[in-house]
Amino acid sequence: MSLLNTTNNPNVLVGLETGDDAGVWSLGDDRALISTVDFITPVVNDARTWGRIAAANSLSDVYAMGGIPLFGLNLVAWNNDELPTELLSEVLQGGLDIAEKAGMAIIGGHSISDPEPKYGIAVTGEVDPDHVLTNTGLQGGQDLILTKPLGIGVITTAIKAGTVDDDSLEAAINSMERLNDVASRVAISAGTTGATDVTGFGLLGHLGKMTKASGVNAVLYVDQIPFLPAARQYVEDGIVPGGTRRNLAWIADQVDARSFSEIDLLLLADAQTSGGLVFGVDKDKSSDVCAELEELGVDAALIGETDAGEGKISLR
Ligand code: CO
Ligand code: CO
């Protein structure tokens, strides 16, 4: 625990204590920096596509906190013995594709030699200190909105196994490459204070962190939660990443699953890469928010609601 203690520095607006997506550092009354780092191993076979996904994944935590990215530093682990440097150029070009889309500059980086390639970006952004979206910001009586379908972990496992179908592959890549910028902007203008992005711990894991930190319970409407095309079929066929099973074991005590099956639970706990945002919004605004997101090309779904509580998640 002491290892995770941040300092008592008054400039730290958000540190490690709440398990939030990024750190926030005050620059004065109305300005704050946001800082985060993330890197991943390959999830698809095409180098440039992987670069784009890794970059979008790295930027996601900035958007999950309500910020915008300013600049980033590339982090690269590359197998120099077995992989050509042209392939690395492709990966970095993918990162630049996304940086350009996000209006962010890449201003440096560092690489090491490593048998298993890894790529990501350490991102510095800016956030309005009065509108930081955190894990502690959910309130009782809100609707919960999710902005990307689940099932990425299952589909990328099928990619690695060589059994993925074309529709699922394309949908997964499109979803992972998409930035959470629009979702973040719409959430902030709707008055959202509690948000996170759904990544390695899956929807149940990340929502469970938020409900605990915020002191609310959540109900999930399982039928309304969107999934990538063949995700359920793959889980039924036993294609489940180890991380997804660990997620479910870790969160199980916090979830009232009622009569839902283990398949449903694994899908809800599936470890995501570059997943969407999940956020709370006042009930009188949620249908407008969903409509606005749809109009802007975001696959948003109203997936549940919150109530006063101690962090439980119930499936309905
Ligand atoms: Co995050
Ligand atoms: Co992260």
Side-chain angles (χ1 to χ4, degrees):
M1 157 158 189
S2 61
L3 281 177
L4 289 177
N5 268 346
T6 38
T7 63
N8 294 320
N9 192 315
N11 292 325
V12 178
L13 301 183
V14 178
L16 287 164
E17 290 81 3
T18 50
D20 259 294
D21 296 298
V24 180
W25 178 270
S26 171
L27 289 177
D29 283 347
D30 51 8
R31 299 192 77 189
L33 284 178
I34 187 162
S35 181
T36 178
V37 59
D38 214 316
F39 53 89
I40 59 172
T41 55
V43 287
V44 292
N45 297 320
D46 180 70
R48 188 161 175 168
T49 305
W50 174 46
R52 282 201 290 261
I53 290 168
N57 182 63
S58 297
L59 285 170
S60 181
D61 281 328
V62 172
Y63 297 123
M65 299 292 289
I68 52 161
L70 298 174
F71 57 87
L73 305 172
N74 281 330
L75 293 162
V76 179
W78 197 250
N79 188 334
N80 294 306
D81 297 330
E82 286 176 26
L83 298 172
T85 47
E86 294 77 42
L87 211 54
L88 174 56
S89 303
E90 284 285 298
V91 174
L92 298 180
Q93 189 54 53
L96 284 175
D97 294 342
I98 291 297
E100 195 174 328
K101 218 172 177 182
M104 176 185 77
I106 300 285
I107 60 172
H110 181 68
S111 65
I112 61 164
S113 186
D114 188 332
E116 182 165 31
K118 296 161 190 89
Y119 174 54
I121 307 176
V123 186
T124 300
E126 185 166 14
V127 65
D128 177 345
D130 294 329
H131 293 102
V132 181
L133 307 178
T134 65
N135 279 345
T136 58
L138 288 179
Q139 289 147 39
Q142 291 185 316
D143 280 334
L144 291 168
I145 291 172
L146 176 70
T147 68
K148 286 186 186 180
L150 304 178
I152 291 287
V154 170
I155 303 297
T156 54
T157 301
I159 295 172
K160 281 174 193 150
T163 55
V164 74
D165 67 282
D166 290 347
D167 281 355
S168 298
L169 177 63
E170 194 189 326
I173 288 173
N174 286 340
S175 180
M176 286 188 283
E177 286 184 351
R178 198 176 316 139
L179 294 173
N180 284 323
D181 54 350
V182 172
S184 176
R185 209 169 59 228
V186 170
I188 291 168
S189 48
T192 289
T193 52
T196 195
D197 58 341
V198 181
T199 53
F201 298 124
L203 175 66
L204 291 179
H206 287 285
L207 182 62
K209 277 211 281 186
M210 277 220 289
T211 54
K212 260 193 180 162
S214 301
V216 300
N217 288 340
V219 172
L220 289 179
Y221 317 136
V222 177
D223 290 349
Q224 295 187 38
I225 298 178
F227 294 98
L228 289 165
R232 174 171 291 272
Q233 185 58 52
Y234 288 130
V235 173
E236 283 170 0
D237 295 345
I239 298 177
V240 180
T244 295
R245 291 193 190 279
R246 284 193 294 278
N247 285 344
L248 183 53
W250 179 75
I251 196 74
D253 284 351
Q254 217 178 316
V255 178
D256 178 3
R258 302 198 190 203
S259 56
F260 287 94
S261 68
E262 205 199 356
I263 304 281
D264 293 310
L265 284 162
L266 285 167
L267 282 163
L268 295 174
D270 187 39
Q272 307 296 284
T273 298
S274 194
L277 301 188
V278 59
F279 60 89
V281 70
D282 293 346
K283 285 183 183 256
D284 58 340
K285 293 187 182 141
S286 55
S287 57
D288 284 352
V289 166
C290 283
E292 187 181 354
L293 286 169
E294 285 294 336
E295 210 166 283
L296 294 167
V298 177
D299 296 327
L302 198 167
I303 61 159
E305 62 185 337
T306 60
D307 214 333
E310 315 80 47
K312 280 266 171 209
I313 299 174
S314 309
L315 308 187
R316 187 175 292 167

